[in-house]
Amino acid sequence: MTLKVAVVEGDGIGREVIPVARRVLETIRPDIELFPVEVGYGKWARTGCACDADDIAALKSADSILFGAITTPPDPGYNSILLRIRKELDLYANVRPVQGEGFDILIIRENTEGLYSGIEWHEEDRACTVRVITVKGSRRIARFAAERALARGGHLTIGNKANVLKSDVLFREICIEEATGAGVRWDTAFIDALTLDVLMHPAEYDVIVTTNMFGDILSDAAGYLVGGLGLLPSANIGDRHALFEPVHGSAPDIAGTDRANPIAAVRSAAMLLDHAGDHDGAVCIETAIREVVARGVKTPDMGGRAGTRAFGDALVTALQTPHQQRP
Ligand code: IPM
Ligand code: MG
């Protein structure tokens, strides 16, 4: 069956890195059906609405979504479109692999609740945000993470702040139950100390599960291990829908300069193929990235001089060379 993928370039460097990821997908899977969906700041500036019900319906109609990045419009009442999409499509597991010389970490972040509950208000002299941790939300992310850890023959670290937050006492308890039930080896760690230790001893970690905002911060910090956010992909997975996006944002400071590293977006496209059952396709993409980088074709964040488009050209050429072609 044809794989139907909705493509959201979004704003800023999303409009530069997603076209590269798109070319890579078209090269490796000529049978794929890609269709654009416009959401974000650009759309808001033009129409006054960053994402409407038709856009959500279009995203839901796809087998998968390839997503760039969105700039926050200068509107005080604005709520993040990405968060809305994650909630409306119930993409409860945010999966962020961080791989490098001697380490292979999978950060799994709860993606629909916690401090991102959306329950917040402003009073006279204070503003409040409610951190919601539910049994259902914790159980499904814990189960997801335990299954991933088990499939890798690995270990699960449960990142939390249960020494301070009652909500994390619940999260930790449920994660322990699920990990024990799945028969996976586990331990728990406080998120602050864990973040430092992951940076100092990355080889000692395998799968890490944590709540929404802790996972947001931990995954950006882990970008340090690989030389920056230009390299880190992510998957937002639910039971019915899945969205793949680079961990980085729209980077307005370098947008339009052909300096953005498209590797995070291309790796997100590889995760999309893997999720669709095309493991070989994903491996081919990763091999081609490594080959191109090994030849010294690198964007400025990696110390090179290649532009976003030139890197994309090199990648597509590598994917077309016979030894690279998929089995
Ligand atoms: C991320 C981003 C988002 C988040 C923002 C853009 C809403 O930082 O995907 O990590 O906080 O989840
Ligand atoms: Mg983030």
Side-chain angles (χ1 to χ4, degrees):
M1 228 172 57
T2 313
L3 185 60
K4 227 174 99 188
V5 178
V7 180
V8 177
E9 290 185 356
D11 306 304
I13 62 168
R15 308 186 83 84
E16 296 165 65
V17 297
I18 291 300
V20 174
R22 184 189 172 122
R23 280 177 68 203
V24 165
L25 279 181
E26 283 166 344
T27 306
I28 200 150
R29 283 287 297 259
D31 63 318
I32 213 162
E33 186 191 323
L34 301 161
F35 67 95
V37 177
E38 193 197 352
V39 303
Y41 182 39
K43 183 173 180 136
W44 178 84
R46 235 190 41 249
T47 67
C49 170
C51 174
D52 58 30
D54 287 348
D55 298 324
I56 297 285
L59 295 176
K60 284 186 174 169
S61 76
D63 296 318
S64 245
I65 303 157
L66 179 64
F67 189 96
I70 284 183
T71 303
T72 302
D75 172 352
Y78 175 82
N79 291 318
S80 166
I81 296 303
L82 182 55
L83 299 193
R84 175 169 162 212
I85 294 171
R86 286 176 182 162
K87 279 197 184 145
E88 293 214 22
L89 276 62
D90 202 22
L91 306 171
Y92 62 86
N94 194 323
V95 181
R96 301 189 157 180
V98 185
Q99 294 161 339
E101 204 58 54
F103 61 88
D104 181 357
I105 305 171
L106 197 62
I107 298 172
I108 298 183
R109 156 185 179 194
E110 200 294 320
N111 216 24
T112 57
E113 53 182 36
L115 263 176
Y116 288 34
S117 67
I119 304 173
E120 39 190 10
W121 64 92
H122 202 144
E123 295 168 1
E124 186 95 347
D125 56 354
R126 62 177 190 171
C128 304
T129 298
V130 179
R131 186 177 197 265
V132 178
I133 300 288
T134 66
V135 170
K136 177 183 166 213
S138 303
R139 199 167 294 292
R140 64 182 180 174
I141 194 68
R143 193 166 292 170
F144 183 98
E147 276 167 13
R148 287 292 176 107
L150 204 61
R152 288 157 64 108
H155 183 275
L156 183 67
T157 303
I158 302 160
N160 68 89
K161 193 76 185 171
N163 50 340
V164 178
L165 303 171
K166 294 280 173 290
S167 47
D168 262 10
V169 172
L170 176 66
F171 181 76
R172 183 177 64 179
E173 191 180 290
I174 291 177
C175 287
I176 292 172
E177 265 174 39
E178 288 297 325
T180 308
V184 72
R185 289 180 294 117
W186 59 267
D187 66 355
T188 71
F190 296 134
I191 194 70
D192 46 354
L194 174 63
T195 304
L196 176 63
D197 204 51
V198 165
L199 298 187
M200 291 183 75
H201 309 289
E204 288 173 18
Y205 290 91
D206 186 31
V207 180
I208 300 173
V209 65
T210 189
T211 52
N212 206 340
M213 186 175 260
F214 291 162
D216 180 40
I217 297 169
L218 178 65
S219 55
D220 268 29
Y224 176 76
L225 295 170
V226 296
L229 287 187
L231 298 164
L232 292 186
S234 76
N236 296 254
I237 297 176
D239 291 333
R240 302 187 31 205
H241 306 282
L243 178 152
F244 301 81
E245 51 160 350
V247 172
H248 64 67
S250 64
D253 52 327
I254 60 161
T257 64
D258 196 39
R259 291 169 62 84
N261 189 340
I263 291 180
V266 172
R267 283 193 168 137
S268 303
M271 288 183 85
L272 184 154
L273 288 187
D274 198 43
H275 184 71
D278 186 358
H279 182 66
D280 289 343
V283 171
C284 282
I285 293 175
E286 186 56 35
T287 309
I289 291 173
R290 282 168 200 246
E291 188 187 298
V292 168
V293 169
R295 284 207 321 266
V297 183
K298 297 176 187 170
T299 44
D301 57 311
M302 295 177 79
R305 301 219 310 244
T308 312
R309 280 192 296 267
F311 186 91
D313 292 341
L315 205 51
V316 168
T317 307
L319 283 166
Q320 284 166 337
T321 58
H323 75 279
Q324 267 293 334
Q325 271 163 21
R326 51 192 314 151

